[in-house]
Amino acid sequence: MRNLIISLAIIASFASAATASEVKITALDFYPSGAKFTFNVELENNSTFEAILPGAFKADTVRLLNPEDVHGNIRVETRSRTKWIPDSLAELNSRVEAQSRTLDELNARKAALEQTLTLLKDSSPETARPEKLLEFIRDAQDLRLDTENELAALKITLEQEKATLTALRNELNSRSPSNEKNYLVISGQAKNTVKFEAFTSSATWRPNYILNLDSSTGNIDVQMFIKASQKTGLDYNGNMTLHTKTPDERIITPELKPLKVAIKPKQENIGGVGNVRFSRSNAQFKSTNMQMEMDMAAPMMMEDSEIEPENIPAPAVQETFSDRIINIQGLITGDGKESEFDVIRNALTLKSEPVIMLIPEQRSNAWIIAEMSEDNEHLIPGNAELRVDNTTTGKIFIEEFGKGQKSIPFGYIDQITVKKEALITKQGVSWFSGVSTNGYKLEITNGTKEDKKVLIRDRLPVPTDEKIKLDIKRIEPQQKEKDNENRFKWELEIPAGETANIIVDYTLSYPSGEELRYGTK
């Protein structure tokens, strides 16, 4: 492991301070949106120091960690600079500069060729001898042809080199440190060592998973990778701590104030126009409707609404994250390039029950879904590549287990299908009512070489008007479950290569002259 030290050469590129001190990163804490760096400045006994940090760090987050070793407080100033290229971008910056020089040379050559063509156009022979005139014309034509050919080829090359320079500059700009035109100066006097921390918003991390479901056992082998990046301009190689929750920047002491109620003063009419009247109460003009809404809302208002601190920043907290800590180790550059760290590889197994599910109204082939066990290790939210029996099936975003992620869809099984076929659909109208007679058959086919237990879900209409009556005539076989919204669930054991049927027959009765409208809302 190599420890990062900001060398005097780099510090000199920030500013011309002759007393700049060596600054060493000793710890790095990542949060969902930002990172905290911890720094050390080693000093001789009772000496002054001046530490330099890039402008990506927030001046108001610099905090002294060993005040007992520092004389008084430290001073933090924000200053401007012209240009700073961190070590990790030095090679890319050299390529940009070299490409820029190449483009300048090509433009100079293009200007020379264009000047040559202009001279050829305006030139004329000084001799009147015919043989010399003919020779001059031939030489001029040959030179002009060569010049135009070279200029045409040069223009193509020039466009290509321009595109290359644009791409290099865009890459350099995207990877350049945030707020690179500023830098921080932290100064003071201390006994031996100065320890301080600073926060930057130019950092982030996220988990990625590979989840491999064993369809026979339900075990899910988990591989977890961490992707992290930061754009401070400072490289770091060492231990890093990843937090799944960002500390609140400001916490307010909760207070429950008494809820008071009084007799509302009678309002005094002071005039109006037409049917609109204006009222006055306690020297304030309010509409009657607004006053009623405020009165009704008063008992429901949160007590914290009475506390009105100024300029409270919105907390950078992602509430879907669990409050967990992950430790990783390695190199992360300060140019925004994403580094990947292998955290868990075949060391975590989640327990689940594989379920084969068919929903005819959504698709004709089956889902394979892992119903998760309650005692599983919780997963931090992140993107996951899904595999079934080592075969990639798709991608998904994993919600936090325990906050709604009770099942994970792992893909589709093309060999298990369902076909929905109408048995009878007839609408009739009498003097008093209309009748819609409906029926359908589900054909479930197991095209695999093994017997499979299949879960089928379907639904019947839910009358939202008491004038509509649903009459279920026949369901074969009987469903395993039925909820209050007429959603049915069957569980069938289907032998390999065979087909099972489900028959549903029902009618809807409604007033004559009306029409039925279907929807999910």
Side-chain angles (χ1 to χ4, degrees):
M1 182 183 72
R2 137 180 109 79
N3 290 326
L4 174 81
I5 296 180
I6 306 175
S7 65
L8 289 174
I10 296 178
I11 293 174
S13 67
F14 281 122
S16 59
T19 58
S21 308
E22 290 185 342
V23 182
K24 178 181 178 182
I25 303 174
T26 58
L28 176 53
D29 290 74
F30 272 91
Y31 297 94
S33 55
K36 180 182 68 177
F37 285 66
T38 303
F39 302 94
N40 274 14
V41 179
E42 301 293 340
L43 303 171
E44 295 181 0
N45 191 30
N46 290 322
S47 59
T48 59
F49 67 92
E50 187 174 88
I52 307 296
L53 292 185
F57 292 94
K58 298 180 179 180
D60 58 356
T61 65
V62 176
R63 187 167 71 93
L64 186 63
L65 299 179
N66 60 332
E68 66 280 0
D69 296 327
V70 176
H71 301 294
N73 202 356
I74 59 176
R75 294 178 297 278
V76 181
E77 299 177 70
T78 300
R79 299 179 185 174
S80 300
R81 59 182 169 80
T82 53
K83 186 177 182 180
W84 173 54
I85 301 297
D87 287 347
S88 56
L89 294 178
E91 189 271 337
L92 178 58
N93 184 67
S94 297
R95 290 172 59 193
V96 170
E97 291 177 345
Q99 186 67 19
S100 182
R101 289 193 296 270
T102 299
L103 208 61
D104 290 341
E105 293 171 359
L106 291 174
N107 278 318
R109 179 60 182 164
K110 176 174 174 286
L113 293 174
E114 290 174 341
Q115 185 177 21
T116 299
L117 289 176
T118 300
L119 292 173
L120 287 173
K121 180 180 178 181
D122 298 336
S123 297
S124 59
E126 296 181 357
T127 177
R129 295 173 58 186
E131 63 276 11
K132 292 294 182 179
L133 178 62
L134 183 60
E135 181 180 353
F136 174 84
I137 293 174
R138 288 174 178 171
D139 290 345
Q141 287 177 336
D142 290 342
L143 180 58
R144 179 163 186 165
L145 181 61
D146 292 342
T147 302
E148 288 182 343
N149 287 337
E150 184 179 354
L151 183 60
L154 182 61
K155 287 181 178 179
I156 296 175
T157 303
L158 193 58
E159 290 302 317
Q160 294 173 343
E161 297 299 335
K162 280 182 180 178
T164 300
L165 179 59
T166 299
L168 288 173
R169 281 177 173 168
N170 289 340
E171 182 182 359
L172 180 61
N173 291 335
S174 67
R175 294 173 57 187
S176 293
S178 303
N179 199 20
E180 58 180 331
K181 294 183 179 180
N182 293 326
Y183 66 97
L184 302 184
V185 179
I186 299 98
S187 58
Q189 185 177 8
K191 297 178 181 178
N192 294 303
T193 302
V194 180
K195 300 178 182 179
F196 63 93
E197 65 183 21
F199 188 86
T200 177
S201 299
S202 303
T204 186
W205 73 275
R206 58 190 175 91
N208 278 61
Y209 299 95
I210 296 178
L211 305 180
N212 185 30
L213 172 65
D214 187 325
S215 62
S216 60
T217 65
N219 290 341
I220 302 174
D221 290 330
V222 179
Q223 296 182 37
M224 181 180 182
F225 305 89
I226 296 297
K227 292 189 176 183
S229 62
Q230 51 100 4
K231 289 180 65 175
T232 63
L234 304 181
D235 298 348
Y236 176 70
N237 193 351
N239 295 318
M240 289 169 272
T241 304
L242 309 179
H243 302 264
T244 57
K245 184 178 180 181
T246 303
D248 294 326
E249 294 187 20
R250 182 173 179 180
I251 298 177
I252 301 172
T253 302
E255 180 182 1
L256 182 63
K257 291 190 175 182
L259 178 63
K260 301 178 181 180
V261 61
I263 300 296
K264 185 172 65 174
K266 292 182 179 181
Q267 294 180 335
E268 175 188 351
N269 292 329
I270 61 172
V273 179
N275 293 325
V276 180
R277 306 297 298 175
F278 299 97
S279 300
R280 177 175 62 198
S281 177
N282 295 335
Q284 293 182 349
F285 297 97
K286 302 177 181 178
S287 73
T288 303
N289 288 339
M290 182 183 295
Q291 185 64 49
M292 290 176 61
E293 290 170 1
M294 292 178 64
D295 292 342
M296 293 174 63
M300 302 171 59
M301 292 174 62
M302 295 179 61
E303 288 75 21
D304 285 346
S305 65
E306 300 179 21
I307 304 172
E308 298 180 353
E310 297 180 356
N311 301 322
I312 297 181
V317 179
Q318 299 191 25
E319 293 294 342
T320 56
F321 276 16
S322 59
D323 193 8
R324 299 175 63 192
I325 293 175
I326 300 172
N327 293 307
I328 59 176
Q329 181 174 329
L331 171 66
I332 184 166
T333 57
D335 57 0
K337 184 178 180 181
E338 203 166 51
S339 300
E340 184 173 274
F341 304 89
D342 191 346
V343 179
I344 299 175
R345 181 176 289 275
N346 300 327
L348 174 62
T349 300
L350 303 178
K351 301 294 183 181
S352 76
E353 179 184 353
V355 175
I356 298 173
M357 181 183 295
L358 283 163
I359 303 180
E361 291 193 16
Q362 294 187 7
R363 60 186 308 118
S364 60
N365 56 339
W367 281 270
I368 180 166
I369 298 174
E371 297 290 347
M372 309 299 293
S373 172
E374 290 290 347
D375 57 355
N376 278 326
E377 180 80 12
H378 290 194
L379 297 180
I380 300 169
N383 293 312
E385 176 186 317
L386 301 174
R387 298 177 182 177
V388 177
D389 301 327
N390 298 312
T391 300
T392 300
T393 58
K395 296 181 179 179
I396 194 174
F397 182 81
I398 298 296
E399 303 288 349
E400 183 176 13
F401 186 71
K403 287 190 177 180
Q405 188 62 51
K406 300 298 184 182
S407 62
I408 301 177
F410 268 83
Y412 310 110
I413 304 176
D414 293 334
Q415 299 93 331
I416 299 178
T417 60
V418 62
K419 178 180 168 184
K420 191 171 187 176
E421 181 181 306
L423 288 180
I424 182 171
T425 300
K426 187 173 78 173
Q427 291 186 345
V429 178
S430 67
W431 286 103
F432 303 103
S433 67
V435 177
S436 176
T437 303
N438 299 271
Y440 61 84
K441 178 175 71 172
L442 300 177
E443 294 183 355
I444 301 99
T445 301
N446 176 12
T448 70
K449 297 180 180 180
E450 299 177 357
D451 298 349
K452 296 293 184 181
K453 183 169 67 173
V454 181
L455 183 68
I456 303 100
R457 299 187 63 185
D458 205 5
R459 64 190 179 185
L460 292 183
V462 180
T464 58
D465 192 311
E466 60 182 12
K467 297 176 182 179
I468 303 174
K469 305 297 182 185
L470 172 68
D471 184 15
I472 300 175
K473 302 293 186 181
R474 177 174 57 146
I475 296 181
E476 295 179 358
Q478 279 296 118
Q479 72 277 0
K480 180 181 179 182
E481 295 180 16
K482 173 182 175 294
D483 64 16
N484 293 330
E485 295 183 324
N486 289 342
R487 289 178 294 191
F488 295 83
K489 184 184 294 184
W490 292 269
E491 199 170 78
L492 303 180
E493 191 78 34
I494 305 178
E498 295 193 12
T499 298
N501 296 326
I502 296 174
I503 295 177
V504 177
D505 195 5
Y506 67 96
T507 62
L508 287 171
S509 300
Y510 53 94
S512 176
E514 302 290 346
E515 292 183 2
L516 298 178
R517 183 178 64 181
Y518 296 87
T520 57
K521 295 183 179 180

